[in-house]
Amino acid sequence: MSRLKRLILEIHRRSLWQVLGIYLIGAWIGYEVIQSLTEGLGLPGWFPAFALIVIILLLPVVVATAFVQESGPASREYDSLLPEADDTGAGAGRAGGAAAGLHGLLTWRNSIIVGVLALIGLGSVGLGLIWLRNRGRELQPDVVAVMPFHVVGDGIELWREGLVDLLATALDATGEFRSSDPRAVLNRWRVEVGDAGELPEPARAAEVAGPLGAGRVVLGSVIRTGPNDLRLAADLYSVRWLHKEASAVVEGPEDEMSSLIDELTVELLKSIWRAGELPNVNIAAITTTSPAALRSYLEGEQAYRRSRFVEARNAFTRAVEADSTFAMALHRLAFAYGWSVSIFAPEVSEYNLAAARHSRGLPERDSLLILGNKLIDVDGDLAAIPLFERLTDRYPNDMETWYGLGEAYVHLGAQAGHARPRPMEFLQRASSLDSTFAPVLIHLVEIAHSQGDSVRARALTARYLALDSTSRFAAAFRLATALRFGSAEDSASAVQELDSVGAGVLSELSCACLIGHWPLPQYQLVARAAASPRFPDMSRGLALQDLAAQYLRHGRAALAVDFIRQGQALYPQDELGFYVLTAARAAGVVPADSAIQHLMDRLSEKFGNPSFVGVLALQEGRFEEAVAAVARTELEVDSLMAAGDSATARSMQGLVWAARGQIAAAHDSTDVAIGHFRRGLPMINATWAWPHDMQRYRLASLLQDRGAEEEALRIYGSLYSTPWLEALGYFQRAELHERRGEREEALRYYARFVELWADADPHLQPRVEAARRAIRALSPDR
């Protein structure tokens, strides 16, 4: 006899009231299970009520079936299920039962089938809800999102976000887990949960963690239990199933927070660890053993996340003063200086180098972030780009990795041969993960200006001003948008305001203008305001040097030289004018007349870097002088190495190889020359944009001769960081496109060249006329 038949037989043997009682007990047990599953799987609160309705709807079916089968003739059907009931009378009973309409419908077999279908329906609805909740999410079980902790007690609000940072770091250090970027978690928390002080339901936390790819989420609380005592509690949930996988509670003194986090991490891992022996978690070794340094660091992190960089700088400074080996505090301090003072502030390099020295033993993500930013800010090493690309692959929902990649392209992308808009996609990705981080928006605004995109520049400026309306960046972007894209009235008002804003605003506005390559008259307004007598002579001199570079961009060499003279008179210690003159002269933009030569000789005696002198000598065919300059440069490399300045020494050695490349090219050894350039260029700090661009320009011309046109085109199209080479890059690019029969591209770049050099000095006009003739030949109707 089958199990189903036995079940039906046993039900049939029961009375109506017995069946009803059994059903109600079973329904109650089922309802409790459903409630438990609802809580464990994070199903909606209405799901148990829905299940209860199904149970109630099934009740009349069960009662009716029990009544019919107990009192009706169909009872003979069940008698036939007995083994000994196998005669002709039994067959007649079955035939009679089948013939009875209602009695044939309300059978226990049919009731059980209906019940099973109802259970399948409930399960399908539950699974469907889970699928809908997780659809489109690529949840990774080794990624853990730590939510802000619920805090109860006085003086412990710092730990609300602080434990997000510290517990995430501890989990990363296990090597088996990756923590979601705390910044991205907190940003989504603000969107999904707001500033609610209560601990959210796991389903709400999953809404924060799921889009970040986290397969697990930690919810926790910290309670003050005494003057210096805390209780930390945390629960680990599966994001997909909202099932609690582990719980942990630890207690101890607040000034031993590092040890408490170690204990909490280990306790959470005990329930889920599958890799053998539990790791030895030691958050103090990763961060700091100083409670004062740890508190200051977390205060700095909170300010840094909100783009309050002066406040962050002060807090990180206190952390470093308490522990000079605190790598993450040093790393953040370098950033805070860059954004609150200047990226060229010596502290930026100092703290980046210190962070790299003390980064041993950090989790992979943190150590690579530190290395990547050192490669950008100190070494100018193009290896920063592939490093951050690998980081974004490894941590695809981490705001800092995307921001780092955007930074790498902003500062090094041109030298790697990429077009100006390239960083945009990476910065937009970072902004989507945290729309409140000001540096991302700062770069996006600058790129929008560089492209002359008035719609995007206005929209991004409005977003930035909504985030920050008081800093120098806010004032600069407001003025920049009014000057560049505003109405005549707005522009006139902005021009008047230039005479009253501070040096910091004008410096930032000047930087934005330089990156944006504004029309020369607008740049003149900003630079001349910055050169006002109300500012110190040093800043006035630098402003005039910047203005000189912009005049060189437009081929106005005579006026550029005059501005360099004025800048030198105000700030004689500045080397910039000498380097600008040398590089622009080597590019053929500055003529070789006696007055200019006299100025260059005077500056050369004062600042004469032999590598720059050698470049100019090579350009002018003075090879013996160039070879001597190369030898002097190598002696300088040895001196720099002895003094411990290996970064500068490496760049100077790169310039030596580039000079050897030029010497080889002059003697018709093109392949040897290309080899020397390829060896030297990676050694030159890419933040030395002007000398680096000069050597890339030389390499591009050699590649063009050898038929490597695509690489040459990429280089010519990425010379926008060096004002006096940008126009030449357009011209060379146009000639290459014309040679390849690419008419529209050739016309585009000839037109850009003519637009820049339309009013160039007479000695540059022959090239402008050549471009105009090419335009007429390519498009007679224009």
Side-chain angles (χ1 to χ4, degrees):
M1 184 185 301
S2 71
R3 292 182 179 179
L4 177 60
K5 289 182 177 181
R6 287 184 180 276
L7 176 61
I8 294 170
L9 179 60
E10 288 302 316
I11 293 173
H12 177 66
R13 290 180 183 275
R14 308 297 176 184
S15 70
L16 171 63
W17 297 108
Q18 285 178 318
V19 170
L20 182 60
I22 292 170
Y23 177 79
L24 291 176
I25 292 171
W28 176 77
I29 293 172
Y31 182 72
E32 290 297 317
V33 170
I34 288 170
Q35 282 194 312
S36 177
L37 289 173
T38 298
E39 182 178 349
L41 299 179
L43 295 172
W46 55 261
F47 189 73
F50 174 71
L52 182 60
I53 292 171
V54 173
I55 291 170
I56 292 171
L57 290 174
L58 285 174
L59 179 59
V61 177
V62 172
V63 171
T65 302
F67 180 80
V68 168
Q69 297 303 325
E70 181 179 3
S71 61
S75 61
R76 291 195 299 271
E77 177 185 356
Y78 298 97
D79 293 335
S80 68
L81 293 173
L82 296 173
E84 62 273 16
D86 191 18
D87 54 17
T88 307
R94 283 195 296 272
L102 181 61
H103 295 89
L105 178 63
L106 291 174
T107 65
W108 286 119
R109 181 184 289 107
N110 291 346
S111 296
I112 290 172
I113 291 172
V114 170
V116 170
L117 290 175
L119 286 174
I120 292 173
L122 278 173
S124 299
V125 170
L127 291 174
L129 291 170
I130 293 170
W131 178 82
L132 287 171
R133 186 178 69 211
N134 292 296
R135 74 185 189 281
R137 297 176 179 176
E138 297 181 6
L139 300 179
Q140 303 172 67
D142 64 330
V143 177
V144 184
V146 182
M147 298 294 109
F149 272 54
H150 174 53
V151 296
V152 180
D154 296 330
I156 59 173
E157 180 62 28
L158 175 70
W159 301 116
R160 183 172 183 269
E161 292 185 12
L163 283 166
V164 178
D165 293 297
L166 297 177
L167 188 55
T169 300
L171 290 167
D172 267 346
T174 65
E176 293 292 324
F177 294 96
R178 291 177 289 146
S179 295
S180 293
D181 176 20
R183 177 185 294 279
V185 170
L186 292 169
N187 184 60
R188 282 202 54 81
W189 177 276
R190 286 191 291 270
V191 172
E192 296 291 337
V193 181
D195 295 324
E198 297 299 320
L199 197 64
E201 293 295 322
R204 200 77 182 275
E207 290 300 315
V208 176
L212 300 177
R216 291 183 168 108
V217 63
V218 173
L219 285 169
S221 63
V222 53
I223 302 172
R224 183 173 292 288
T225 57
N228 188 43
D229 294 324
L230 300 176
R231 177 188 294 123
L232 275 63
D235 296 318
L236 181 69
Y237 287 88
S238 161
V239 171
R240 186 177 303 280
W241 304 109
L242 294 183
H243 168 68
K244 185 188 293 188
E245 297 182 326
S247 293
V249 179
V250 298
E251 295 187 63
E254 184 177 6
D255 55 11
E256 295 181 11
M257 180 59 81
S258 295
S259 298
L260 293 177
I261 292 168
D262 294 344
E263 293 179 42
L264 190 71
T265 304
V266 171
E267 287 299 314
L268 281 175
L269 295 181
K270 280 181 179 178
S271 300
I272 61 171
W273 195 259
R274 300 288 183 269
E277 187 177 350
L278 280 168
N280 180 25
V281 182
N282 187 354
I283 192 69
I286 300 169
T287 56
T288 176
T289 57
S290 165
L294 186 61
R295 265 193 165 273
S296 295
Y297 167 73
L298 294 175
E299 290 168 359
E301 279 290 272
Q302 289 191 9
Y304 181 77
R305 271 195 281 266
R306 291 159 177 77
S307 301
R308 300 198 298 262
F309 296 115
V310 174
E311 184 181 333
R313 187 185 73 207
N314 294 336
F316 291 134
T317 298
R318 293 194 300 272
V320 169
E321 287 172 349
D323 181 357
S324 61
T325 67
F326 193 170
M328 286 305 295
L330 289 161
H331 169 63
R332 291 290 198 233
L333 187 53
F335 264 111
Y337 260 99
W339 288 111
S340 64
V341 181
S342 167
I343 193 174
F344 303 111
E347 290 85 356
V348 174
S349 292
E350 176 189 344
Y351 292 125
N352 267 316
L353 287 167
R357 283 197 304 272
H358 299 296
S359 63
R360 189 183 186 90
L362 288 180
E364 177 193 54
R365 169 188 175 275
D366 293 340
S367 62
L368 289 178
L369 283 174
I370 288 173
L371 173 61
N373 286 295
K374 172 183 172 289
L375 291 175
I376 295 172
D377 294 335
V378 179
D379 304 325
D381 193 330
L382 300 183
I385 292 175
L387 183 148
F388 276 108
E389 287 174 339
R390 290 194 301 272
L391 266 173
T392 55
D393 288 340
R394 173 78 168 146
Y395 302 94
N397 294 297
D398 189 322
M399 192 286 295
E400 291 207 64
T401 63
W402 288 104
Y403 169 63
L405 183 57
E407 277 276 293
Y409 273 100
V410 165
H411 295 290
L412 308 178
Q415 306 307 313
H418 295 285
R420 184 182 284 128
R422 180 67 171 147
M424 182 73 79
E425 64 179 284
F426 311 122
L427 294 169
Q428 287 175 330
R429 173 65 172 146
S431 184
S432 71
L433 291 166
D434 185 354
S435 59
T436 66
F437 190 47
V440 173
L441 279 175
I442 289 170
H443 285 318
L444 286 172
V445 172
E446 291 171 344
I447 294 170
H449 275 289
S450 75
Q451 295 177 290
D453 188 336
S454 61
V455 174
R456 182 173 287 174
R458 285 176 177 277
L460 289 167
T461 298
R463 276 182 59 192
Y464 187 85
L465 293 176
L467 178 68
D468 163 29
S469 60
T470 60
S471 73
R472 73 177 191 273
F473 297 106
F477 292 152
R478 183 174 49 78
L479 284 170
T481 304
L483 284 169
R484 184 84 186 270
F485 305 120
S487 64
E489 184 179 351
D490 290 341
S491 182
S493 177
V495 169
Q496 290 182 343
E497 194 174 345
L498 290 176
D499 294 329
S500 60
V501 297
V505 173
L506 285 171
S507 175
E508 187 56 39
L509 182 56
S510 177
C511 180
C513 292
L514 181 62
I515 292 174
H517 293 319
W518 289 14
L520 188 56
Q522 291 178 334
Y523 198 92
Q524 287 172 318
L525 292 170
V526 178
R528 285 173 176 165
S532 166
R534 64 193 175 99
F535 296 120
D537 286 348
M538 181 181 76
S539 63
R540 295 172 62 199
L542 291 174
L544 289 170
Q545 305 281 23
D546 286 342
L547 185 58
Q550 289 303 307
Y551 270 92
L552 286 171
R553 178 174 178 264
H554 290 270
R556 308 284 292 279
L559 282 170
V561 171
D562 188 47
F563 283 123
I564 289 173
R565 283 198 184 94
Q566 293 179 46
Q568 277 288 314
L570 288 167
Y571 183 37
Q573 294 79 22
D574 181 34
E575 303 177 1
L576 180 64
F578 169 68
Y579 297 142
V580 169
L581 273 178
T582 304
R585 173 83 170 271
V589 178
V590 173
D593 64 38
S594 58
I596 293 174
Q597 188 61 52
H598 176 72
L599 174 62
M600 292 189 66
D601 289 343
R602 181 167 61 83
L603 293 176
S604 180
E605 291 175 7
K606 193 172 183 180
F607 306 116
N609 184 310
S611 62
F612 284 86
V613 173
V615 166
L616 185 58
L618 284 168
Q619 182 64 20
E620 296 178 352
R622 294 178 278 115
F623 293 108
E624 291 183 5
E625 186 178 336
V627 171
V630 167
R632 292 200 307 277
T633 304
E634 292 195 302
L635 290 175
E636 186 170 335
V637 169
D638 293 338
S639 299
L640 289 166
M641 289 297 292
D645 189 356
S646 58
T648 305
R650 177 179 169 84
S651 294
M652 297 295 288
Q653 186 63 55
L655 289 172
V656 166
W657 281 108
R660 288 174 176 161
Q662 283 187 254
I663 292 171
H667 291 85
D668 296 325
S669 301
T670 304
D671 292 333
V672 173
I674 290 174
H676 288 335
F677 274 107
R678 290 198 187 283
R679 181 172 181 178
L681 275 167
M683 302 175 72
I684 303 171
N685 191 318
T687 60
W688 296 19
W690 295 348
H692 199 271
D693 273 349
M694 193 70 224
Q695 305 311 325
R696 291 199 306 127
Y697 180 73
R698 302 293 179 210
L699 173 60
S701 65
L702 293 172
L703 292 169
Q704 183 176 338
D705 291 341
R706 275 290 177 264
E709 296 179 350
E710 290 299 329
E711 187 176 357
L713 285 171
R714 282 197 301 274
I715 294 175
Y716 289 139
S718 63
L719 296 173
Y720 49 83
S721 295
T722 301
W724 50 89
L725 285 179
E726 185 182 16
L728 295 176
Y730 286 148
F731 186 86
Q732 295 295 120
R733 199 171 182 182
E735 283 195 327
L736 254 177
H737 283 300
E738 184 179 9
R739 181 191 306 173
R740 288 152 59 106
E742 296 163 351
R743 176 175 167 276
E744 289 301 321
E745 291 294 295
L747 280 169
R748 179 187 308 170
Y749 292 112
Y750 276 131
R752 288 186 182 180
F753 171 76
V754 170
E755 181 183 10
L756 282 178
W757 273 20
D759 298 320
D761 288 353
H763 72 282
L764 300 174
Q765 282 298 326
R767 187 168 291 192
V768 179
E769 286 304 316
R772 286 184 171 131
R773 286 195 299 273
I775 290 173
R776 287 193 293 269
L778 289 166
S779 183
D781 57 326
R782 293 196 181 187

